[in-house]
Each structure stands twice: as structure tokens, then as C-alpha cells.
Amino acid sequence: MTQNNNPTSGEDSLIARYFKPLATDPGAFNLDDDAAALKAAGEDIVVTTDAIVEGVHFLPDDPPDTLARKALRVNLSDIAAKGAVPSGFVLTLALRQADEAWLKPFAEALGEDAAHFGCPLLGGDTVSTPGPLMISVTAFGRVPEGRMVHRSGAHPGDRVVVTGTIGDAALGLDVLRSGLVAETLVGDPVAREMLASRYRVPQPRNALARIVRAHASAAMDVSDGLAGDLTKLCAASRVTAVIDVQSIPLSQAAAGLLARKVIGIETLLAGGDDYEILCAVPGHRMDAFTREARQAGVAMTAIGGVIAGHSPPSFLDAQGRELALQRLSYSHF
Amino acid sequence: MTQNNNPTSGEDSLIARYFKPLATDPGAFNLDDDAAALKAAGEDIVVTTDAIVEGVHFLPDDPPDTLARKALRVNLSDIAAKGAVPSGFVLTLALRQADEAWLKPFAEALGEDAAHFGCPLLGGDTVSTPGPLMISVTAFGRVPEGRMVHRSGAHPGDRVVVTGTIGDAALGLDVLRSGLVAETLVGDPVAREMLASRYRVPQPRNALARIVRAHASAAMDVSDGLAGDLTKLCAASRVTAVIDVQSIPLSQAAAGLLARKVIGIETLLAGGDDYEILCAVPGHRMDAFTREARQAGVAMTAIGGVIAGHSPPSFLDAQGRELALQRLSYSHF
């Protein structure tokens, strides 16, 4: 960690104390050096970086333990979607103050996730800011040489597959902001809690990484909304897709809200923060993909097919009519 | 870049337009994917991360081109001090708005430095913030396996060596804040400009990286003040050092201000942002180190020696009396 660990500063030594236990990789040098060393051992190192900002990507009253998990997991989700196995991360923390009551649960939760996902802390930088809290993570993963899964490999005839359920995190944000969803679910604390936790603590699909690498022709994680992210995957692959909206996997809570017309389908398709894997799988690979995903305990659903073309993907309702989506994804700008 | 490059957003496509030309490495995949791939080819990858925050590490009116250079160079300085050759970086930008008048000169200067130092953009994340501008860089370098230079290898008998001149950036910050230094140098615009530019645009010593790796027993860059950083190097190496303050290399401007007692030596020794390399070199390596540094065009000066002991390093004046430094380094907290 290149925080200013001036021995006269109690705050800096506090930071060192809480983060050193997370630096379990020998290449982290116990955070005592200015840099870490990553061994590649004949593999490619996949690098991704994602930052979250208070008031933009998380709420000012989100607890430190869930922030730690979210900051790491949004990056682990990218690593998984690229077919890579996590190998470590560096952390940049911009804090208004180095406050033990915040740092302790933050570092402990981060350490639990780092251990759980096999992704140790390699280094970082803690800086002071007068502004909103910001947590930036650069995460590393390994793939056999040249085997990173790209956005750009989808071919006409491939199936479009997505893990988990879509749209819950967007509903969770509404719950946490005491919006219409929260109001509607006032009598259902279990559903409210499930949705809020989908927003606060994503479940990255790292268990699926090797299976994606073995079978998918293209993949990315769904972070900015399924509709927009599928549009990006199709554009990168120079194809388009037809999606059967009825088949998009929804949680019971989301399906209920949709049936009661509290929300429209667009809220789910263009909502952000799903952190599921979206991928294209060649038809002859679908059986193996499905079987191995089931063995890995990851739910997955085929929601449509890749076809030739350059237009944005079509989303068809139960009657086969194309939905006219006003927005495809969530943009913070 | 995992910015939300929603095709409906003009700001996101602006970001993509300015940064894509910087992604010259094949492993950056033209910033069209969610991650980059780093090839290691039997070497270790050295990883370092440093962030700069508006109002903390740079001034709100610092121009975008110098900010870009500073953000990259503070990381290149770490890479150099570890004996590594730069191989690329990822960038996290937290912006209040994606403003072309700011982004264009920022990206152009960043591209110039990336090309000059052989350190291409591999990916990044652009996020919106309501708060101060923040630029976080994670940079990568290569060293032969196991050959990263540590803070912890200094031995009694080694010489303490530093590159360039010390303390100019701290004086430059005072100039930019119209402090006492600016007042004193009111008739000397050349000195004012030199000092300000040392603060705004560090000169990382990447030309010395291979020489440090070949000869130094320990090294780090001087970012938080020579006194504090030497204390850290000694602590990591479980040694101490005696420094001859008279021999510390100063610019003419700094020496003049010191002679006129406008500043004290502590301002120079504990000032931050030097981005010079501090290293320990075994006596029998000094001739070769000196000769090769000269050939590389990097000024270096021996300022003292490593000795056994656990106390903080001693700074001796011309009469051999130990200076009592009130502070060792600059801390932002």
C-alpha cells in the first residue's frame, strides 16, 4: 500500500493494520513495498477495473461491509465473464477520514470475500478526499494463453444465455430509496430484503468461468442493463439477436411486480447492477454448457438466439411483437 | 473501457473517441472489451497503483494536460524504482462531467506520455462524481522472474544514492499557492516556472530502471519526502543510515532560498512529490552504477551510508551535528 504510512500518523497505521491481513499472496510482500509482483506462469493475465462512487453507484448509508463486497464483486464479475480465474486485486480508497468504525468492517468483509473468491489483496493506495467516498478496484485473473472470452465472438445460430435473474438490483435500489417498489412491497419484508441485497451485494458467477471459457463464443457481465449490454455484445460481434422476453429469468418478486403493473419490463431490462453473465453459446455446445452449469450450481436460461444483422437486438413479447424500449441501459452521466 | 458506452450517450462516446487512440497494445482489444490481457512471457509483472485527487494532490486550476502526465508519471516512478520496464496501465477517471474541452487535452497529453514511456493504455473506467476530480492509475511493468527491486534489501556498508534534486516540487506547490517562495522569487520567473513545473509534471527516472535492477540492493521512489521515505526504506531493510545533509542535491533555486533562510532544510527533506529514485548501492557496485547512470543521462548523488541499527536515519549538518526534524514526510490525512 502506498498510503503515506508516516509513523507519526495514527490514521495511516490504522489502514495498514486492517489491510495487511488481506495480503495473503507472496507477491503482495505483506504490503511493505511500493509494488506487487504477479507471476503469470505461461498464462495470460486478465485485467479489469471498476470503481464505485458514493451517491452514484451506492447510497451514502450503505454499510461498509456491503460496499467492500460490492467493490470487489463487480470486478470479479468481469473476471468470471472473461472465463478467467481470479488471482488478486489492488484497491484505491478515497476517504474523507480514516475512521476505524468504518475501516474495520470494510476490511473484514473485503478479506472474507477475497478469501472466498481466491482473490487476495496485492496492494493499493489510500488517499484523502474532501468529496464522496470512492472505491476503485483493479482485479486480475488468469486464463490459458489467448483464451480470454471476448464480447466479439458471437455467431448467427448461437443461443443467448443469461445466468440468475434479471432486474432485481434495479428494484432493490428503488426499495432502498423508498420508491414505489418499496411502497408496494410494504407487507413483504422478505422480498424487500432480497431485492435490496441484490443491489448491495452482487453474486458474481465465478463458478461458471471455466464453463464459459469451454463453451461460450462470446460473453460479458450484465452491469448496465441486459438490453444495453446485449446491444454491446452484438455490436462487438457484428451480429444481432432476437430475445423472447417471456423467457427472461425473473425472481418471484420481480415477476409479481410486473404482473401487477407496478413496473414495466423496461425497468428490468434496462436496470443496472445485475452482475449476471450474458453469453452466446453455439447450439452444439448447449447440452454440455447446461449440464456443467447445473453441476456448478449456477442457474442459467436460454433467452433467444443470435442472428445475422446490424440492427440492435429485438425483444419480442408473448405475441411475437417487438417491444419499443425507450432506454437500453443505465448511464450515470 | 467499461464506461457506460450506451450509444445514446454523447458523453460516453466522447470518452471512447479520445481514449481509443491510446490503446495501442493488442492486449487492450481497442478498449472494446470488458478487460485487457497481459502477456507475461516468463517475466514477473510489477503492479503499482497511485491516485491523485483535486484539492489534495493537485490544484483545481492545474491544466488537464499536466494532470494527465502527473497521474501516469507518479506510477511510472514506482515502476522505475522497482527496476521494471513499463508495459501498460489502466485508468479510472472520476469526473463531474465529460467535457470535451477538458478531455481532449487530457487524453492527448496522456497519449504522448504513454508513447514516450512505452506504457500504453490497457483499459479503464470512467465514472461520474459530484465531488472532486480523481484520477487513479494502476500501472504494470516487467522484470525478469524474481528480480523486482525491494525496499528491504539494504545492508550496512551500502551507499545511499538519490537521483535528480530534492525539494523542488514542494517549493513549486508554494509558488502555485502564491506563498512565501513565490513572493521571494517575484523577480525570477524562470525559477518560479521551474519549481512549479517540478510539482506539476514529475520526471520519472525510468531510464535508470535497468541500472537500479543491476546494482541497487534496495530502492523506492521519493514521493512523500526524502526523510520519511528513507525512514521507510531503512525500516523495511532493518538498518539505519547516516546522511550528510550538505551533499543532498538541490536545485540552484532551492539552494538560494535555503541560503537566504526563506525556507529551512526541513521543507526540502520532508516535502513531497519529488519522484526521484532513492536507493542503496553496495560499495563495490558504485563505480559501475555511477558510470551507467551517467551514460543514461540521469544525475545521481551519494548522500550517505547505510549502517547497522534500528533508529531512524540521522541527518548531519556541515558540523556533523544531527538535525532534529519535526516532520519526516508529507501526509494528506
PDB file of all heavy atoms in Angstrom, chain A residues 155-174:
ATOM      1  N   HIS A 155     -21.807 -15.797 -33.045  1.00  0.00           N
ATOM      2  CA  HIS A 155     -22.121 -16.091 -34.448  1.00  0.00           C
ATOM      3  C   HIS A 155     -23.609 -16.368 -34.614  1.00  0.00           C
ATOM      4  O   HIS A 155     -24.238 -16.898 -33.694  1.00  0.00           O
ATOM      5  CB  HIS A 155     -21.354 -17.335 -34.911  1.00  0.00           C
ATOM      6  CG  HIS A 155     -19.885 -17.103 -35.046  1.00  0.00           C
ATOM      7  ND1 HIS A 155     -19.342 -16.325 -36.034  1.00  0.00           N
ATOM      8  CD2 HIS A 155     -18.856 -17.526 -34.282  1.00  0.00           C
ATOM      9  CE1 HIS A 155     -18.029 -16.287 -35.887  1.00  0.00           C
ATOM     10  NE2 HIS A 155     -17.709 -16.999 -34.826  1.00  0.00           N
ATOM     11  N   PRO A 156     -24.141 -16.055 -35.779  1.00  0.00           N
ATOM     12  CA  PRO A 156     -25.540 -16.413 -36.046  1.00  0.00           C
ATOM     13  C   PRO A 156     -25.754 -17.899 -35.765  1.00  0.00           C
ATOM     14  O   PRO A 156     -24.910 -18.728 -36.129  1.00  0.00           O
ATOM     15  CB  PRO A 156     -25.707 -16.091 -37.535  1.00  0.00           C
ATOM     16  CG  PRO A 156     -24.704 -14.991 -37.784  1.00  0.00           C
ATOM     17  CD  PRO A 156     -23.534 -15.331 -36.903  1.00  0.00           C
ATOM     18  N   GLY A 157     -26.833 -18.211 -35.095  1.00  0.00           N
ATOM     19  CA  GLY A 157     -27.107 -19.602 -34.729  1.00  0.00           C
ATOM     20  C   GLY A 157     -26.809 -19.883 -33.266  1.00  0.00           C
ATOM     21  O   GLY A 157     -27.377 -20.802 -32.679  1.00  0.00           O
ATOM     22  N   ASP A 158     -25.931 -19.070 -32.646  1.00  0.00           N
ATOM     23  CA  ASP A 158     -25.651 -19.265 -31.214  1.00  0.00           C
ATOM     24  C   ASP A 158     -26.914 -18.960 -30.399  1.00  0.00           C
ATOM     25  O   ASP A 158     -27.745 -18.145 -30.798  1.00  0.00           O
ATOM     26  CB  ASP A 158     -24.537 -18.318 -30.742  1.00  0.00           C
ATOM     27  CG  ASP A 158     -23.157 -18.662 -31.308  1.00  0.00           C
ATOM     28  OD1 ASP A 158     -23.025 -19.735 -31.929  1.00  0.00           O
ATOM     29  OD2 ASP A 158     -22.237 -17.841 -31.124  1.00  0.00           O
ATOM     30  N   ARG A 159     -27.008 -19.601 -29.242  1.00  0.00           N
ATOM     31  CA  ARG A 159     -28.079 -19.276 -28.293  1.00  0.00           C
ATOM     32  C   ARG A 159     -27.594 -18.147 -27.392  1.00  0.00           C
ATOM     33  O   ARG A 159     -26.399 -18.046 -27.093  1.00  0.00           O
ATOM     34  CB  ARG A 159     -28.427 -20.494 -27.412  1.00  0.00           C
ATOM     35  CG  ARG A 159     -28.857 -21.743 -28.192  1.00  0.00           C
ATOM     36  CD  ARG A 159     -30.178 -21.537 -28.902  1.00  0.00           C
ATOM     37  NE  ARG A 159     -31.269 -21.379 -27.936  1.00  0.00           N
ATOM     38  CZ  ARG A 159     -32.397 -20.699 -28.181  1.00  0.00           C
ATOM     39  NH1 ARG A 159     -32.584 -20.101 -29.350  1.00  0.00           N
ATOM     40  NH2 ARG A 159     -33.340 -20.626 -27.275  1.00  0.00           N
ATOM     41  N   VAL A 160     -28.526 -17.311 -26.974  1.00  0.00           N
ATOM     42  CA  VAL A 160     -28.207 -16.260 -25.992  1.00  0.00           C
ATOM     43  C   VAL A 160     -28.616 -16.765 -24.612  1.00  0.00           C
ATOM     44  O   VAL A 160     -29.766 -17.163 -24.420  1.00  0.00           O
ATOM     45  CB  VAL A 160     -28.949 -14.947 -26.313  1.00  0.00           C
ATOM     46  CG1 VAL A 160     -28.667 -13.890 -25.240  1.00  0.00           C
ATOM     47  CG2 VAL A 160     -28.549 -14.441 -27.698  1.00  0.00           C
ATOM     48  N   VAL A 161     -27.667 -16.758 -23.698  1.00  0.00           N
ATOM     49  CA  VAL A 161     -27.886 -17.364 -22.380  1.00  0.00           C
ATOM     50  C   VAL A 161     -27.558 -16.331 -21.308  1.00  0.00           C
ATOM     51  O   VAL A 161     -26.622 -15.542 -21.461  1.00  0.00           O
ATOM     52  CB  VAL A 161     -26.971 -18.601 -22.206  1.00  0.00           C
ATOM     53  CG1 VAL A 161     -27.046 -19.160 -20.800  1.00  0.00           C
ATOM     54  CG2 VAL A 161     -27.329 -19.672 -23.235  1.00  0.00           C
ATOM     55  N   VAL A 162     -28.332 -16.347 -20.230  1.00  0.00           N
ATOM     56  CA  VAL A 162     -28.036 -15.452 -19.119  1.00  0.00           C
ATOM     57  C   VAL A 162     -28.155 -16.242 -17.809  1.00  0.00           C
ATOM     58  O   VAL A 162     -28.950 -17.178 -17.713  1.00  0.00           O
ATOM     59  CB  VAL A 162     -28.958 -14.209 -19.169  1.00  0.00           C
ATOM     60  CG1 VAL A 162     -30.387 -14.544 -18.761  1.00  0.00           C
ATOM     61  CG2 VAL A 162     -28.408 -13.079 -18.329  1.00  0.00           C
ATOM     62  N   THR A 163     -27.326 -15.892 -16.838  1.00  0.00           N
ATOM     63  CA  THR A 163     -27.372 -16.580 -15.531  1.00  0.00           C
ATOM     64  C   THR A 163     -28.350 -15.860 -14.597  1.00  0.00           C
ATOM     65  O   THR A 163     -28.730 -14.715 -14.828  1.00  0.00           O
ATOM     66  CB  THR A 163     -25.983 -16.594 -14.867  1.00  0.00           C
ATOM     67  OG1 THR A 163     -25.538 -15.250 -14.696  1.00  0.00           O
ATOM     68  CG2 THR A 163     -24.979 -17.370 -15.688  1.00  0.00           C
ATOM     69  N   GLY A 164     -28.740 -16.553 -13.542  1.00  0.00           N
ATOM     70  CA  GLY A 164     -29.501 -15.943 -12.443  1.00  0.00           C
ATOM     71  C   GLY A 164     -30.813 -15.327 -12.874  1.00  0.00           C
ATOM     72  O   GLY A 164     -31.493 -15.856 -13.759  1.00  0.00           O
ATOM     73  N   THR A 165     -31.159 -14.214 -12.244  1.00  0.00           N
ATOM     74  CA  THR A 165     -32.369 -13.474 -12.600  1.00  0.00           C
ATOM     75  C   THR A 165     -32.000 -12.030 -12.895  1.00  0.00           C
ATOM     76  O   THR A 165     -30.997 -11.529 -12.417  1.00  0.00           O
ATOM     77  CB  THR A 165     -33.415 -13.515 -11.459  1.00  0.00           C
ATOM     78  OG1 THR A 165     -32.819 -13.007 -10.255  1.00  0.00           O
ATOM     79  CG2 THR A 165     -33.916 -14.942 -11.214  1.00  0.00           C
ATOM     80  N   ILE A 166     -32.834 -11.394 -13.703  1.00  0.00           N
ATOM     81  CA  ILE A 166     -32.522 -10.064 -14.238  1.00  0.00           C
ATOM     82  C   ILE A 166     -33.437  -8.997 -13.623  1.00  0.00           C
ATOM     83  O   ILE A 166     -34.639  -9.220 -13.485  1.00  0.00           O
ATOM     84  CB  ILE A 166     -32.694 -10.094 -15.786  1.00  0.00           C
ATOM     85  CG1 ILE A 166     -31.619 -10.988 -16.417  1.00  0.00           C
ATOM     86  CG2 ILE A 166     -32.661  -8.689 -16.394  1.00  0.00           C
ATOM     87  CD1 ILE A 166     -30.189 -10.525 -16.231  1.00  0.00           C
ATOM     88  N   GLY A 167     -32.860  -7.863 -13.268  1.00  0.00           N
ATOM     89  CA  GLY A 167     -33.661  -6.702 -12.863  1.00  0.00           C
ATOM     90  C   GLY A 167     -33.837  -6.513 -11.366  1.00  0.00           C
ATOM     91  O   GLY A 167     -34.323  -5.473 -10.925  1.00  0.00           O
ATOM     92  N   ASP A 168     -33.430  -7.516 -10.576  1.00  0.00           N
ATOM     93  CA  ASP A 168     -33.662  -7.418  -9.126  1.00  0.00           C
ATOM     94  C   ASP A 168     -32.903  -6.245  -8.499  1.00  0.00           C
ATOM     95  O   ASP A 168     -33.420  -5.572  -7.599  1.00  0.00           O
ATOM     96  CB  ASP A 168     -33.229  -8.707  -8.426  1.00  0.00           C
ATOM     97  CG  ASP A 168     -34.068  -9.899  -8.868  1.00  0.00           C
ATOM     98  OD1 ASP A 168     -35.271  -9.702  -9.143  1.00  0.00           O
ATOM     99  OD2 ASP A 168     -33.517 -11.007  -8.959  1.00  0.00           O
ATOM    100  N   ALA A 169     -31.684  -6.021  -8.948  1.00  0.00           N
ATOM    101  CA  ALA A 169     -30.868  -4.975  -8.315  1.00  0.00           C
ATOM    102  C   ALA A 169     -31.486  -3.596  -8.559  1.00  0.00           C
ATOM    103  O   ALA A 169     -31.486  -2.742  -7.664  1.00  0.00           O
ATOM    104  CB  ALA A 169     -29.436  -5.025  -8.841  1.00  0.00           C
ATOM    105  N   ALA A 170     -32.034  -3.390  -9.746  1.00  0.00           N
ATOM    106  CA  ALA A 170     -32.677  -2.101 -10.035  1.00  0.00           C
ATOM    107  C   ALA A 170     -33.878  -1.901  -9.105  1.00  0.00           C
ATOM    108  O   ALA A 170     -34.121  -0.795  -8.613  1.00  0.00           O
ATOM    109  CB  ALA A 170     -33.111  -2.053 -11.500  1.00  0.00           C
ATOM    110  N   LEU A 171     -34.615  -2.983  -8.862  1.00  0.00           N
ATOM    111  CA  LEU A 171     -35.743  -2.899  -7.923  1.00  0.00           C
ATOM    112  C   LEU A 171     -35.232  -2.672  -6.501  1.00  0.00           C
ATOM    113  O   LEU A 171     -35.837  -1.951  -5.716  1.00  0.00           O
ATOM    114  CB  LEU A 171     -36.587  -4.171  -7.995  1.00  0.00           C
ATOM    115  CG  LEU A 171     -37.147  -4.517  -9.387  1.00  0.00           C
ATOM    116  CD1 LEU A 171     -37.939  -5.821  -9.328  1.00  0.00           C
ATOM    117  CD2 LEU A 171     -38.016  -3.376  -9.918  1.00  0.00           C
ATOM    118  N   GLY A 172     -34.110  -3.302  -6.191  1.00  0.00           N
ATOM    119  CA  GLY A 172     -33.510  -3.136  -4.860  1.00  0.00           C
ATOM    120  C   GLY A 172     -33.114  -1.694  -4.595  1.00  0.00           C
ATOM    121  O   GLY A 172     -33.293  -1.181  -3.482  1.00  0.00           O
ATOM    122  N   LEU A 173     -32.594  -1.038  -5.630  1.00  0.00           N
ATOM    123  CA  LEU A 173     -32.231   0.376  -5.473  1.00  0.00           C
ATOM    124  C   LEU A 173     -33.484   1.201  -5.158  1.00  0.00           C
ATOM    125  O   LEU A 173     -33.463   2.077  -4.284  1.00  0.00           O
ATOM    126  CB  LEU A 173     -31.561   0.877  -6.759  1.00  0.00           C
ATOM    127  CG  LEU A 173     -31.194   2.366  -6.806  1.00  0.00           C
ATOM    128  CD1 LEU A 173     -30.284   2.758  -5.638  1.00  0.00           C
ATOM    129  CD2 LEU A 173     -30.532   2.719  -8.135  1.00  0.00           C
ATOM    130  N   ASP A 174     -34.584   0.860  -5.843  1.00  0.00           N
ATOM    131  CA  ASP A 174     -35.846   1.566  -5.570  1.00  0.00           C
ATOM    132  C   ASP A 174     -36.320   1.307  -4.131  1.00  0.00           C
ATOM    133  O   ASP A 174     -36.799   2.220  -3.454  1.00  0.00           O
ATOM    134  CB  ASP A 174     -36.911   1.114  -6.578  1.00  0.00           C
ATOM    135  CG  ASP A 174     -38.212   1.866  -6.389  1.00  0.00           C
ATOM    136  OD1 ASP A 174     -39.020   1.478  -5.517  1.00  0.00           O
ATOM    137  OD2 ASP A 174     -38.411   2.869  -7.102  1.00  0.00           O
TER     138      ASP A 174
END
